[in-house]
Amino acid sequence: GVLAASCTEGSLNTYVYAKSPFNEWTSGDDHWDFMNEEYDAMVVWAPYWDERLDSYADVRVYRNAYAVKVDSDRDTRAADHPDWILRDSSGDPVYIDFSCSGGCPQYAGDLGNPAFVQDWIDGLRELVDRGSPGVFIDDVNLLWRFSDRNGDPIQPIDPRTGQVLTLEVWNEYLVEFLETVRAEFPDIEIWHNALWYADSPDYSDPLVDRQIRAADVVQLERGMNDTGLVGGTRKFGMQTFMSYIDRVHGLDRNVALLDENAVDEAGQWFNLAGALLVNDGGDYVTTEDWDFISPDRTFGGFDIDLGSALGPRTVVNGTIQREFTEGLVIMNEPKSPAVTVVLDGAWITPTGEQVTEVELGTREAIVLTRP
């Protein structure tokens, strides 16, 4: 597993998913000391970051697992190697079903093609040779994500058999590719942006376990604030989501919870609280709301340290709770009724108030510290 900066269950590593809006803070020289002190990792893009590695080195450089850009000015692979693109039974190219309004911008590359995979490996080796200590692999999707150019579902043909490409065979290609990356680069840190519900709620697919093992960290887009999460243990239940994170930990890997949806501080606390409920001492947390993660303003909860966990999380009267040597975390799950929790004594809220009970609405959480 990855040796992360955090070491107790009551504190989390902070990272930045440094998409282009974050360039506001990385285009000059003013903020590098802050970033080196506050951030445990950054997901970045080449070639923008090449000249910034000396300023901040602990990066995971972005690469997509199998997307090939339709725009040939940005990506020549489709024009140079048309056989690297998956096609349907009519010979038309297959696309990735993402951002397809007006036409999908990405073809689906053929991960069963050894030449396509080798070219991908060579591209990463070039980035590593230039100094990147880690890679972030996007679209690690063990679910169907293929479409025609308009975003409508489509069945690719497997060029090796001439038959319809099944999800099971595609997943084999994808996982074998990820294992090849791991074998070729044993010394870099590998992050996957994966879909946690690929085999939810049974969690029995060995291909998913192999995918997790091929990474050091699995990023979970949307984190605890994913609007698709409901309460309980169904396919998209919060407790099912947390059980997936347990599964990652059980394979000696860690997770990174990327909040994309919080609009206020309460939302930040909810994502952080959920992370603390599952953290094994090496997990990561972040947000895409720059008002809470930039050098201009950083959410105070990211620096919290509740010490060691006194045990695993428990479900108590409909809430999920976990106690630490220096704190207590309580979550009321999504779509659950409001609840009043009577505490075993006085605790301190994030605003400094001393309380003996807390009221939590649906999808609300609180992180308390000992007085």
Side-chain angles (χ1 to χ4, degrees):
V2 59
L3 294 175
S6 175
C7 59
T8 68
E9 299 91 345
S11 65
L12 290 148
N13 299 299
T14 306
Y15 74 109
V16 177
Y17 195 66
K19 297 198 292 192
S20 55
F22 198 75
N23 294 359
E24 175 181 344
W25 295 279
T26 60
S27 57
D29 297 325
D30 298 337
H31 304 296
W32 296 114
D33 288 344
F34 175 91
M35 288 188 275
N36 277 284
E37 184 173 337
E38 293 294 326
Y39 305 147
D40 297 297
M42 296 178 76
V43 177
V44 303
W45 277 255
Y48 176 82
W49 209 263
D50 289 358
E51 62 192 46
R52 293 166 173 83
L53 276 168
D54 288 341
S55 300
Y56 188 96
D58 204 1
V59 298
R60 318 290 176 259
V61 66
Y62 178 98
R63 306 249 4 236
N64 193 289
Y66 59 99
V68 176
K69 289 184 172 59
V70 172
D71 183 351
S72 59
D73 290 337
R74 301 176 63 195
D75 190 338
T76 64
R77 288 178 294 173
D80 296 342
H81 304 279
D83 58 312
W84 290 3
I85 307 302
L86 286 173
R87 299 183 182 275
D88 64 12
S89 57
S90 300
D92 294 326
V94 172
Y95 298 77
I96 294 178
D97 180 15
F98 177 77
S99 193
C100 288
S101 176
C104 304
Q106 300 175 123
Y107 297 121
D110 179 12
L111 286 176
N113 184 313
F116 176 74
V117 171
Q118 187 60 52
D119 181 76
W120 198 103
I121 294 290
D122 293 343
L124 178 55
R125 193 173 308 283
E126 182 181 326
L127 292 170
V128 171
D129 289 346
R130 276 160 28 200
S132 294
V135 63
F136 177 97
I137 305 178
D138 200 4
D139 277 342
V140 178
N141 302 327
L142 275 76
L143 288 170
W144 209 247
R145 286 294 183 272
F146 299 122
S147 71
D148 64 16
R149 71 175 304 275
N150 299 312
D152 295 320
I154 200 171
Q155 286 189 306
I157 297 298
D158 187 336
R160 279 151 296 284
T161 65
Q163 304 300 311
V164 169
L165 180 63
T166 65
L167 178 61
E168 182 179 4
V169 172
W170 169 255
N171 286 350
E172 283 275 5
Y173 290 150
L174 175 56
V175 170
E176 287 173 3
F177 158 73
L178 296 168
E179 291 174 335
T180 298
V181 176
R182 175 78 282 173
E184 291 281 340
F185 300 94
D187 299 324
I188 70 170
E189 186 163 295
I190 297 176
W191 290 31
H192 292 172
N193 194 42
L195 298 172
W196 67 272
Y197 50 86
D199 66 338
S200 169
D202 297 330
Y203 295 149
S204 58
D205 187 347
L207 284 172
V208 175
D209 286 349
R210 286 170 57 189
Q211 172 261 307
I212 294 169
R213 286 194 188 97
D216 293 300
V217 175
V218 179
Q219 177 179 275
L220 303 172
E221 228 168 42
R222 304 182 183 89
M224 297 289 171
N225 282 309
D226 189 332
T227 55
L229 289 170
V230 297
T233 57
R234 290 174 289 170
K235 180 176 176 64
F236 297 109
M238 176 63 76
Q239 293 176 47
T240 310
F241 179 50
M242 291 183 176
S243 294
Y244 170 84
I245 297 173
D246 295 341
R247 176 189 193 177
V248 175
H249 291 157
L251 295 171
D252 198 26
R253 303 298 188 264
N254 284 105
V255 300
L257 293 168
L258 168 65
D259 164 67
E260 295 182 328
N261 295 315
V263 296
D264 54 21
E265 192 159 304
Q268 299 298 336
W269 279 113
F270 189 82
N271 190 50
L272 182 77
L276 289 166
L277 287 169
V278 296
N279 183 32
D280 73 344
D283 293 333
Y284 290 77
V285 66
T286 196
T287 178
E288 284 191 12
D289 188 332
W290 309 126
D291 287 338
F292 292 100
I293 194 63
S294 77
D296 290 342
R297 181 188 174 199
T298 299
F299 172 51
F302 289 148
D303 291 326
I304 204 161
D305 186 351
L306 302 182
S308 299
L310 298 180
R313 66 184 180 277
T314 57
V315 178
V316 183
N317 297 328
T319 64
I320 307 174
Q321 302 185 19
R322 192 181 193 189
E323 190 170 353
F324 301 80
T325 54
E326 304 301 328
L328 174 66
V329 178
I330 307 172
M331 171 187 283
N332 194 25
E333 295 182 79
K335 304 190 184 300
S336 296
V339 63
T340 299
V341 180
V342 178
L343 306 171
D344 61 357
W347 293 81
I348 307 297
T349 71
T351 58
E353 180 186 2
Q354 194 167 57
V355 296
T356 56
E357 64 178 35
V358 293
E359 296 182 8
L360 297 174
T362 186
R363 196 188 286 271
E364 287 187 354
I366 193 164
V367 177
L368 303 165
T369 52
R370 295 188 186 277

